Amino acid sequence: MTKKTLLSGVKPTGRPHIGNYFGAMRQFVELLNSGDYSCYFFIADYHALNFIQNAEEMRRNTLDLAIDYLAIGLDPKKAVLFKQSDISAHTELCWIFDTLVTVPYLMRAHAFKDAEAKGKEVNVGTFNYPVLMAADILLYDTDVVPVGQDQKQHVEYARDIAQKFNNAFGGRTSEGCTFKLPEPKILESVATVPGIDGRKMSKSYGNTIPLFASREEIEKAVMSIVTDSSGELPANVYNIHKLFRSEEELKPLYEANKGKYANLKKALIEDIDAFIKPLREHRAELAKNEKKVHEVLAAGAERANAIASKKLEVVKKTIGVK
Ligand code: AMP
């Protein structure tokens, strides 16, 4: 039986945080190790270009994210790990999709609406983000895309765009339609991990706890969690704590320390540090050998390119440019 295909990516826009990890990256590792999927994990550097216009920062972040992927347990022998910009088929397919997608349709995307609502002058890359993401996903005949809740709409866009293409061009190949319709895979319990201020944890809100944080960084982040005493328990502390300990374990601790926020925060620091320490140490080891990391990405690019360029050839024949 052929395995289902799984693909997901992360933008190299800075250090990943525990929201990225619990919402998406932990699933990457679990699903890879289940052996049920052919897995592709990429570094979405062309998406990150919407936020980073500094070559040195882009290079550093990209390499760092590759190290992060390895450190959480994405084994390059089992999964294809690659950089989006190494596979030119992504941007080429994006253009082909651009000719099918309408402006009003893209104006409904959350990311665009949020940027507009903030009065930002939106660049074309941000506006077009869902189309490039559709190309990322559809090039590999992806069945499932593990993501956090904030990316659900983008996977829906990818499904719509696949359908649009299949309808417009008949989309028939000997194997069926040109594009498969992908499904998002979202873990409900961690679909939106809250940050230290209770809003969604996000680099752009500055409310994160970095995934590979040092003990000092963990202490600083936890001590600045905004405590809200209006409820039974300090929700912002508790909601982060339950990522690291079961609710059965937490209940007696929070009962015994009602109103004693400092004690609860201390317990949270210990739990986060106990979880992050081995990851941090493993990452530090991997970071010593950057050459190896570059080799992993080069080998991944070769494997991804073999699949993506073959798919693009099919698309080119289907639209009549080949
Ligand atoms: P990004 O940094 O936007 O590339 O996000 C990488 C992955 O992390 C995506 O699948 C996001 O949906 C997921 N993610 C980002 N922030 C959160 C959060 N606060 N809670 C759950 N998942 C998240």
Side-chain angles (χ1 to χ4, degrees):
M1 210 177 75
T2 52
K3 287 185 182 183
K4 287 196 166 186
T5 299
L6 179 151
L7 172 139
S8 197
V10 176
K11 291 194 290 295
T13 44
R15 297 163 78 193
H17 49 73
I18 59 170
N20 298 128
Y21 181 72
F22 288 100
M25 293 163 85
R26 186 178 56 167
Q27 281 202 82
F28 297 177
V29 184
E30 285 168 3
L31 295 166
L32 172 64
N33 291 339
S34 74
D36 294 340
Y37 300 94
S38 297
C39 293
Y40 297 81
F41 300 108
F42 69 99
I43 296 172
D45 53 352
Y46 273 163
H47 286 294
L49 195 57
N50 281 315
F51 306 90
I52 296 173
Q53 281 108 25
N54 176 311
E56 199 34 56
E57 195 183 343
M58 180 67 90
R59 266 185 219 113
R60 189 65 251 167
N61 284 356
T62 302
L63 189 69
D64 278 342
L65 183 54
I67 300 170
D68 297 340
Y69 272 174
L70 298 174
I72 60 168
L74 296 181
D75 180 350
K77 289 195 208 79
K78 293 195 219 157
V80 181
L81 306 183
F82 68 101
K83 192 157 58 103
Q84 181 186 30
S85 62
D86 278 339
I87 315 298
S88 53
H90 287 235
T91 43
E92 208 173 333
L93 184 59
C94 175
W95 175 259
I96 295 169
F97 289 157
D98 274 340
T99 64
L100 289 169
V101 171
T102 68
V103 170
Y105 173 73
L106 284 184
M107 285 174 80
R108 294 203 290 271
H110 299 316
F112 169 71
K113 286 207 290 198
D114 289 351
E116 245 210 342
K118 286 183 192 138
K120 283 192 189 155
E121 203 164 75
V122 180
N123 64 339
V124 176
T126 301
F127 183 64
N128 211 25
Y129 187 114
V131 187
L132 180 56
M133 184 157 156
D136 300 334
I137 296 170
L138 299 176
L139 262 179
Y140 299 88
D141 289 330
T142 302
D143 295 287
V144 290
V145 188
V147 282
Q149 181 67 29
D150 58 353
Q151 290 290 344
K152 184 170 184 242
Q153 192 198 34
H154 288 149
V155 182
E156 281 157 9
Y157 267 82
R159 288 175 65 88
D160 285 352
I161 291 171
Q163 259 166 336
K164 249 179 202 271
F165 184 98
N166 289 344
N167 290 340
F169 291 99
R172 298 255 152 221
T173 66
S174 51
E175 296 95 43
C177 286
T178 306
F179 291 113
K180 262 192 192 173
L181 304 192
E183 295 280 350
K185 200 166 179 59
I186 297 169
L187 277 181
E188 284 314 319
S189 58
V190 282
T192 305
V193 172
I196 58 173
D197 57 0
R199 293 186 293 170
K200 183 190 112 172
M201 188 174 286
S202 166
K203 284 167 228 169
S204 58
Y205 294 155
N207 64 356
T208 66
I209 301 176
L211 173 58
F212 299 98
S214 65
R215 168 90 191 188
E216 293 70 36
E217 286 173 313
I218 297 169
E219 283 172 359
K220 190 160 170 259
V222 171
M223 293 322 281
S224 49
I225 294 178
V226 181
T227 41
D228 170 12
S229 50
S230 61
E232 268 286 286
L233 38 78
N236 292 344
V237 181
Y238 185 81
N239 287 335
I240 295 177
H241 214 158
K242 68 183 191 198
L243 299 167
F244 298 92
R245 230 177 239 286
S246 72
E247 300 209 49
E248 293 82 70
E249 285 177 294
L250 288 181
K251 237 175 154 192
L253 176 73
Y254 278 70
E255 274 294 319
N257 288 284
K258 248 188 190 159
K260 297 178 187 153
Y261 299 152
N263 287 357
L264 293 170
K265 283 184 171 180
K266 268 190 208 135
L268 176 58
I269 290 169
E270 292 310 324
D271 285 341
I272 297 180
D273 195 40
F275 180 83
I276 287 184
K277 194 167 179 260
L279 286 173
R280 193 169 62 212
E281 288 172 355
H282 184 38
R283 191 189 186 286
E285 274 309 304
L286 291 163
K288 288 181 189 158
N289 193 349
E290 291 191 352
K291 188 166 166 275
K292 168 98 189 297
V293 183
H294 284 295
E295 283 166 10
V296 164
L297 290 181
E302 209 171 298
R303 288 170 69 192
N305 198 40
I307 308 284
S309 55
K310 209 165 134 206
K311 186 76 188 180
L312 190 64
E313 282 302 292
V314 172
V315 173
K316 283 179 157 181
K317 280 191 196 134
T318 308
I319 62 174
V321 298
K322 261 265 147 93

